[in-house]
């Protein structure tokens, strides 16, 4: 992988509005669903499981008090990620792009080296993005797909290239007809994120091969 293609910055560390409790579903049309994407449900139970994994990892961290005290937006952040991954999958499918297990493993190994070790990568992702250790492969796979999509579409590190990438994802988002349980906000096709998010998912392609945006 070339240095300039090492990653697309996908920031999920923006300060979001505090999410409501994950109890009853507020959508009469899709009871029990946190969102419906392309006709497929994202169950509240799926979202709860992801949040539980992150909370467990935070509680086990030496920075537990800080992590638990500054991640009140975690429910919304994780739903944002679950929906966005489906948008990425659609764009990838539409463009004939796949991410093999070997590619994912190689990219993860590169991120581990750049971060200074597996533990430091896991700690950075947990702190910056609310990613539990068993969720890292999905973040890496997303990164692989994003870079391959950018290469396939000839995306350049320019405002024009960023606009082209955003337009492609916006079109895919609209095609998926994303319906979010109002307890968690509303999906913004133009920004490709939950409407409450403070900064976009799609950022300019970075030349810096450093940590996974200090994350993404």
């Amino acid at each position: 992988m070339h240095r300039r293609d090492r990653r697309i910055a996908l920031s999920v560390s923006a300060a979001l509005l505090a999410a409501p409790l994950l109890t009853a579903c507020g959508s009469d049309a899709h009871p029990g669903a946190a969102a419906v994407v392309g006709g497929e449900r994202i169950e509240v139970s799926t979202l709860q499981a992801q949040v539980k994994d992150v909370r467990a990892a935070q509680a086990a961290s030496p920075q537990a008090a800080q992590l638990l005290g500054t991640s009140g937006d975690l429910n919304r952040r994780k739903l944002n990620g679950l929906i966005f991954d489906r948008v990425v999958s659609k764009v990838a499918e539409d463009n004939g792009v796949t991410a093999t297990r070997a590619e994912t493993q190689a990219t993860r190994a590169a991120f581990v080296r750049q971060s200074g070790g597996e533990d430091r990568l896991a700690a950075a992702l947990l702190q910056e993005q609310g990613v539990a250790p068993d969720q890292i492969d999905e973040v890496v796979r997303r990164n692989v797909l994003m870079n391959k999509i950018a290469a396939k579409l000839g995306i350049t590190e320019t405002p024009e290239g960023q606009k082209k990438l955003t337009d492609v994802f916006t079109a895919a988002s609209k095609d998926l007809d994303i319906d979010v349980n109002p307890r968690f906000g509303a999906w913004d096709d133009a920004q490709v994120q939950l409407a409450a998010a403070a900064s976009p998912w799609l950022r300019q392609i970075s030349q810096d091969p450093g940590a996974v945006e200090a994350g993404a």
Side-chain angles (χ1 to χ4, degrees), residues 30-81:
H30 308 292
V36 178
V37 183
E40 296 184 358
R41 296 161 59 92
I42 298 175
E43 301 291 350
V44 170
S45 58
T46 299
L47 179 57
Q48 287 177 321
Q50 286 226 345
V51 171
K52 182 179 179 180
D53 283 349
V54 174
R55 291 300 189 202
Q58 290 175 331
S61 168
Q63 290 79 39
Q66 177 185 355
L67 293 174
L68 291 169
T70 59
S71 57
D73 63 341
L74 185 58
N75 295 332
R76 190 183 300 274
R77 184 186 301 184
K78 300 309 289 186
L79 181 58
N80 207 26

Side-chain angles (χ1 to χ4, degrees), residues 52-144:
K52 182 179 179 180
D53 283 349
V54 174
R55 291 300 189 202
Q58 290 175 331
S61 168
Q63 290 79 39
Q66 177 185 355
L67 293 174
L68 291 169
T70 59
S71 57
D73 63 341
L74 185 58
N75 295 332
R76 190 183 300 274
R77 184 186 301 184
K78 300 309 289 186
L79 181 58
N80 207 26
L82 287 167
I83 296 172
F84 186 74
D85 278 344
R86 286 156 174 77
V87 180
V88 173
S89 292
K90 175 170 176 53
V91 175
E93 182 178 357
D94 289 348
N95 289 277
V97 169
T98 60
T100 67
R101 181 173 178 79
E103 289 171 328
T104 300
Q105 290 176 332
T107 301
R108 177 166 179 162
F111 287 148
V112 168
R113 290 193 299 272
Q114 294 156 14
S115 301
E118 186 75 41
D119 289 346
R120 293 186 66 178
L121 174 64
L125 286 172
L126 181 64
Q127 179 176 358
E128 298 296 333
Q129 296 195 47
V131 174
D134 62 356
Q135 297 166 2
I136 293 176
D137 277 348
E138 284 304 307
V139 173
V140 175
R141 179 177 180 276
R142 178 195 306 152
N143 209 275
V144 172

Side-chain angles (χ1 to χ4, degrees), residues 162-179:
Q162 179 64 16
K163 182 180 184 305
K164 180 179 178 180
L165 187 66
T166 301
D167 288 346
V168 168
F169 274 76
T170 292
S173 181
K174 290 179 179 179
D175 286 346
L176 288 170
D177 191 22
I178 298 167
D179 180 17

